[in-house]
Structures are given as C-alpha cells and as structure tokens.
C-alpha cells in the first residue's frame, strides 16, 4: 500500500528507460530447512489468578478501585465479587487486565469468562457502548449494548496459538455520553491441557493451497453469493487437525452483521469466529499427517460496504480486495491470527492457485487477479472466469469502467480501468506508467510471471494505492502506481509476514520505486530522527498501530533509505545482484529479516553488524 494524502497526486508520466526482462530458472533454489526446537513438556494448568475476584484485586490491574466490586445493583456469576466495567451513563472508559504465562508444549489453551450486559440503551441497531476482550495484541471479541442479556453467558476462545508466551488478558469497556451500559465479567479462566505436543515445526503449513470459487452478483455488483472450496496439503511433520480461514473484510462490518459470511461447511466443523470475527477455525473431519491432502468447502456471501476503500464501493464502482477467505499460516510460532490493520497490511498467506468464476451483469466490467476470459451467461449477464497460479490472494472490481489496454515493451499485457471522472489523458498516462514500471521492476528482480496486469484508477481512494497479485488500485499518480506495481515482486512473488515484518514489503518496494524513477536516495539517511529508543525499522504493525503517525516515515522513508545506504556499502553491482539472487531464491516463498541480513552479509566482506545496529534493523 502507498499511503498518501486524501487527495490525489498530480499526474505525471514516467520517463525512465525500458529495460529488458530477465528469465528466472525454472526451479528456484529451495531454502535450507532449519532444525526444529526440542519438545517442551506440558504442565496442564489454569493460569489466571483470582479469576472469580473473591480474593481481592491482586494480581488484576484496574482503571479504578470500583471495577472489581461487590456493590449492590448487579450480582456475581459465582460468589459475591465480580468486575463491573462502565455503567456510568456518561463518557467513560474502564479497563481490567492480568498478565499470564501460557505454558509451552500444551496442545490446548482455552480462555473462558462469563459476561452479563445490562443497558439502558433502547436502540436495536447502534453499538453505542462497547466491551473489547483481548489477549496480547489480539482482539478476541467486541460486545456492545446490542448484546444485552438477562443473565450471564459463557464466552470461550481458543488461545492455543499463545502457548509459551506471557501476555495480558484484558477487558476494555467504553461508554458514550448518555444512557448506561454495564459490562459484568466474572469467573475468568485460562485452561491448558493436552499432554506434550511434538516439537515446534518451522515448516509453513497448510501448503500448496488451491481455491475454486463460483460467485454470482446482484445488479450493482455489491452483493456476491456462491461457493468456495480450498484444497491443501499438510507439509508439517506435526499432524494437522484444524485450519483457520481468514475473513479479513469482516473488519469493515460488525460481528452481528459481518460483510463476509461462511456457512454449510464441508470437510470439517466450523468453530466460533475470533479476532474480531476475521478468523474462523475449522476442525478437520480427519487429522492430516505429513503429505496428506484435504478439501474443505463452504457457501460464501460477500456484501460490499459503502466507501472508496480497498473493500468498498464508490458510487457504481465496487472494489473487492481480501474478500475471499484464505487459509491462515501455521509455523513454529503457531497459527498466525493477527488482527486486521487499516494502517497498513496484516495479510500473510502462502502462494496458491485460484480459479474464480464471477457471474455478473454484462453492464459491469470485472477486472480481476489472473488471466480472465468472458463468456455469455444468462440473459444480460456475463461469466468472467479468472485463473491465477502462485498468488497469495485474489481481488476484483466491478463497475461501468472505461478500459484501455496496451502491452509493455517486454510483452506484459496491461489494462487500465478508470472510474467516472478520470480523463482519457490521465488514463493514458497511467497506462504508460504501468508499461514502463512493470518492465523496470522485471529487469531488476525477475520476469513478471502473472500474464496480464490490471490497474483500477479512482482519485477518491483515501489510502493512495493498494496491491494485489496482477491487480492494483491506485490514484492518478506515477509514483504511487510504480510503487504498487513494485509490490508484484515484494509481497506478491517474494512473500513476507506483512503484520510482523511490514518493512520487508513496503521498504523494499519503495526502494524499487526510487530505482525505477531514477532516484538515488543520496543523503536521505541524514534526515533520520528517531522518535524513541523503541522505534525501529523492523517493528511490527502492533507497534505501528499505536504509533500510526510514524509508520509511513519509518517503514517507507527510513526503510528505503537504509537500503540505499546498504547499496552504497556493497556497491551498485553487488546490491543489484543481491536483490536479484534473493528474489530468485525466495520466488513464491517467504522472506524473513534474518534471511535477508544473512544474504546481504554473504554479499560483502565488510562486517555489517554495525550497519544493522545503526539502521535499527533487528532480527
């Protein structure tokens, strides 16, 4: 993504020389396997202390002495004491938290609490007052006055992914300016069990995913319904008994009215939604041993919300990014179930094959990831079939776009789709930019492998630009479009964990953008000024979401300047070879900071230890 002011850049035409594409080896080199750590014994335990609040307040931290209470007006679920958050009837926030250590080696960890919600709000549609339950930085659920009940209800969450970690269990209640809502929490437990798990396996699984999707839209392209199936293989030596689907776009709605719905699951049993309803656990019908393959299927509903967003509609034009459920990744750290961030990206997935059939009114053009073929459907409708290989996700748009097409000098077909209000001159400028940019990036990092490239242009995008495989959303901006096309390599082909290592896609892409625009980054590191000792280029989105004003400056600005500095240490030729070789060795794979640092060190006889320290690149 390329963050920009809410208004578009002035359009300009990119005029760098077109460079010839370079073919990659048919079989990129595989990464060397790493030894798995030794097994840790599980000691089954209940790790929350004083979860019923009957032993005073310790070790809970509370925002005021009135949160843990036995005062009249409400009652406990068990005993006489409980936690009472809010209930003031005016603007107010209460917090309650406890640090817990979840033992390693256990196959199961479950957080449970009892919740009663009492409210004076009369609305049946607006969540005025809210309670958020979190573990670490992960939001497990959000409740509101709309969830009022007459007694306590038990809430349970699988938190096995946090085994071996010390994290906070936290509740935050917020109340608006009028009409009280009381959130009553009691009998909080976190139980671990399951015996000793096998050693942690660094292998990323489920591997080789393949998605088959068939959807039909309403007349405006804002509602899509149909079916999706996902086939995958367990690459790990540890048996796989469950998978998680990421329903990323549920961030854009509420858990009571989610824009992405999954139902009628086959091949497994659906559990409860978690992580603000963006993660859905599927217990497999039969556990998979290493090398075994399974398929899950489900009915899918997508309702596009209003707004010129990466998932939203702007008038007659719908933009549908990250709407298809995709499989979460499990590795030595467990399941990656990070929350959605609107500040950047959270998306971490393995390269997959997609075949997506979209049935829509013929009045709508539907640009999409992959190579598309249109065939006639029923009366007044068209069926667009998009096929894509080795991509990390899938996106499409729908609307009465104006389309122009061309081919880059190296042979990549380019399509530019413009919304109403984009001039033909600006559309043509973006086509020229796209043709030049795709060839410039391909010459440096490896031939573009995805066939055609679609660019959807709308100057109302608040986020500037957004990347998907073979498909980008953008403003009329040479710089932004060159950046988003650079993401075809840095995140798309060379993948990374975008939530925990955002610099690996954004800084590398901004560096590539500078090179494509003939910018040398001379002296740009001289303007670096750190906001604190905790600020680092390698910080995760958990950090940047709480320091959002610094995200673009550090990740994009300082990140690319660090790479310019590295180029000056290695020399232009060595740096170019490093990135070309690194892309080749991670083609359709996943990059980590440690792997890049090792590759950079191998490219020079200069000890880079002080370089990483100076530039705050840890890992």
């Amino acid at each position: 993504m390329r963050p920009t002011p809410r208004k578009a850049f002035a359009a300009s035409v990119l005029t760098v020389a077109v460079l010839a594409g370079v073919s990659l080896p048919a079989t990129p080199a595989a990464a060397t396997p790493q030894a798995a750590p030794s097994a840790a014994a599980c000691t089954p335990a209940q790790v929350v202390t004083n979860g019923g609040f009957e032993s005073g307040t310790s070790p809970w931290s509370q925002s005021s002495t009135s949160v843990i209470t036995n005062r009249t007006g409400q009652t406990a679920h068990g005993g006489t004491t409980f936690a009472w958050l809010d209930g003031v009837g005016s603007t107010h926030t209460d917090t309650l938290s406890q640090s817990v250590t979840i033992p390693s080696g256990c196959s199961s960890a479950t957080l449970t609490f009892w919740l009663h919600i009492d409210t004076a709000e009369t609305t049946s549609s607006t969540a005025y007052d809210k309670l958020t339950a979190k573990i670490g930085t992960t939001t497990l659920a959000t409740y509101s006055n709309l969830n009022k009940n007459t007694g306590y209800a038990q809430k349970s969450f699988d938190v096995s992914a946090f085994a071996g970690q010390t994290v906070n269990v936290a509740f935050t209640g917020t109340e608006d300016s009028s009409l009280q809502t009381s959130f009553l929490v009691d009998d909080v437990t976190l139980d671990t069990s399951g015996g000793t798990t096998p050693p942690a396996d660094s292998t990323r699984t489920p591997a080789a995913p393949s998605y088959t999707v068939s959807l039909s839209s309403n007349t405006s392209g804002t509602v899509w319904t149909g079916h999706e199936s996902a086939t995958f293989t367990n690459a790990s030596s540890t048996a796989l008994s469950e998978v998680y689907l990421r329903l990323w776009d549920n961030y854009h709605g509420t858990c009571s009215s989610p824009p992405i719905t999954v139902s009628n699951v086959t091949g497994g049993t659906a559990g409860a939604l978690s992580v603000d309803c963006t993660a859905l656990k599927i217990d497999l019908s039969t556990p998979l041993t290493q090398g075994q393959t399974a398929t899950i299927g489900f009915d899918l509903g997508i309702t596009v919300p209003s707004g010129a967003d990466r998932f939203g509609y702007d008038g007659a034009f719908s933009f549908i990014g990250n709407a298809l459920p995709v499989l979460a990744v499990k590795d030595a750290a467990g399941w990656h179930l990070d929350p959605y961030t609107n500040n950047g990206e959270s998306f971490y997935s393995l390269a997959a094959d997609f075949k997506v059939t979209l049935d829509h009114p013929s009045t709508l053009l539907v640009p999409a990831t992959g190579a598309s073929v249109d065939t006639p459907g029923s009366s007044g409708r068209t069926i667009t079939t998009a096929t894509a290989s080795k991509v990390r996700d899938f996106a499409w748009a729908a609307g009465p776009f104006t389309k122009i097409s061309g081919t880059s000098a190296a042979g990549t077909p380019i399509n530019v789709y413009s919304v109403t209000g984009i001039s033909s001159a600006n559309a043509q400028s973006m086509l020229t930019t796209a043709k030049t940019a795709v060839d410039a990036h391909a010459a440096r990092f490896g031939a573009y492998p995805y066939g055609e490239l679609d660019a959807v242009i709308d100057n109302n995008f608040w986020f500037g630009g957004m990347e998907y495989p073979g498909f980008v959303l953008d403003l009329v901006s040479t710089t932004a479009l060159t950046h988003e096309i650079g993401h075809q390599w840095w995140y798309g082909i060379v993948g990374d964990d975008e939530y925990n290592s955002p610099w690996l896609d954004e800084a590398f892409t901004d560096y590539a953008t500078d090179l494509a625009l003939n910018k040398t980054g001379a002296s740009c590191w001289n303007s670096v000024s750190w906001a604190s000792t905790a600020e680092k280029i390698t910080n995760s989105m958990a950090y940047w979401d709480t320091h959002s004003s610094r995200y673009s400056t550090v990740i994009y600005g300082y990140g690319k300047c660090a790479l310019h500095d590295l180029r000056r240490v290695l020399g232009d030729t060595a740096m170019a070879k490093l990135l070309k070789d690194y892309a080749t060795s991670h083609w359709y794979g996943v990059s980590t900071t440690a792997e890049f640092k090792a590759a950079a060190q191998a490219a020079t006889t200069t000890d880079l230890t002080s370089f990483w320290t100076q530039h705050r690149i840890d890992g």
Side-chain angles (χ1 to χ4, degrees), residues 67-158:
V67 173
I68 297 175
T69 184
N70 60 2
R71 67 185 189 270
T72 59
Q74 298 290 345
T75 58
H77 172 257
T80 60
T81 308
F82 52 95
W84 186 343
L85 291 87
D86 297 334
V88 176
S90 59
T91 303
H92 187 77
T93 299
D94 277 326
T95 60
L96 178 71
S97 65
Q98 180 180 144
S99 177
V100 299
T101 299
I102 305 176
S104 60
C106 295
S107 60
S108 176
T110 304
L111 175 67
T112 300
F113 58 90
W114 290 82
L115 176 64
H116 170 52
I117 301 175
D118 173 82
T119 185
E121 301 282 3
T122 58
T123 179
S124 60
S125 60
T126 305
Y128 290 114
D129 311 315
K130 297 179 180 180
L131 177 77
T132 300
K134 299 179 72 171
I135 184 165
T137 60
T138 298
T139 299
L140 298 173
T142 300
Y143 307 96
S144 73
N145 49 280
L146 300 177
N147 304 117
K148 63 183 178 181
N149 51 355
T150 55
Y152 279 87
Q154 188 181 47
K155 310 294 182 182
S156 294
F157 302 91
D158 181 354

Side-chain angles (χ1 to χ4, degrees), residues 380-520:
R381 296 182 70 86
T382 296
I383 297 174
T384 297
T385 301
T387 305
S389 297
K390 305 300 182 185
V391 296
R392 299 184 189 278
D393 46 25
F394 186 97
W396 73 99
F401 295 102
T402 298
K403 176 185 176 182
I404 60 173
S405 301
T407 303
S408 76
T412 298
I414 310 287
N415 303 304
V416 171
Y417 295 82
S418 301
V419 304
T420 304
I422 303 296
S423 70
S424 59
N426 280 341
Q428 188 62 51
S429 170
M430 291 301 92
L431 179 61
T432 300
T433 292
K435 290 191 291 186
T436 308
V438 73
D439 285 352
H441 295 315
R444 289 187 173 91
F445 310 122
Y448 178 72
Y450 296 136
E452 68 185 40
L453 173 63
D454 295 337
V456 178
I457 309 299
D458 186 341
N459 275 340
N460 290 330
F461 291 141
W462 67 266
F463 49 84
M466 181 64 197
E467 69 279 3
Y468 298 98
F471 177 98
V472 299
L473 305 173
D474 221 314
L475 307 167
V476 175
S477 166
T478 292
T479 301
L481 186 56
T482 303
H483 176 96
E484 301 314 330
I485 292 174
H487 272 305
Q488 299 303 308
W489 283 263
W490 302 106
Y491 131 86
I493 298 167
V494 180
D496 66 293
D497 179 346
E498 293 185 306
Y499 187 84
N500 289 297
S501 300
W503 89 287
L504 287 172
D505 50 280
E506 295 298 358
F508 280 60
T509 297
D510 235 25
Y511 174 76
T513 301
D514 272 6
L515 296 182
L517 297 176
N518 291 326
K519 296 179 180 178
T520 66

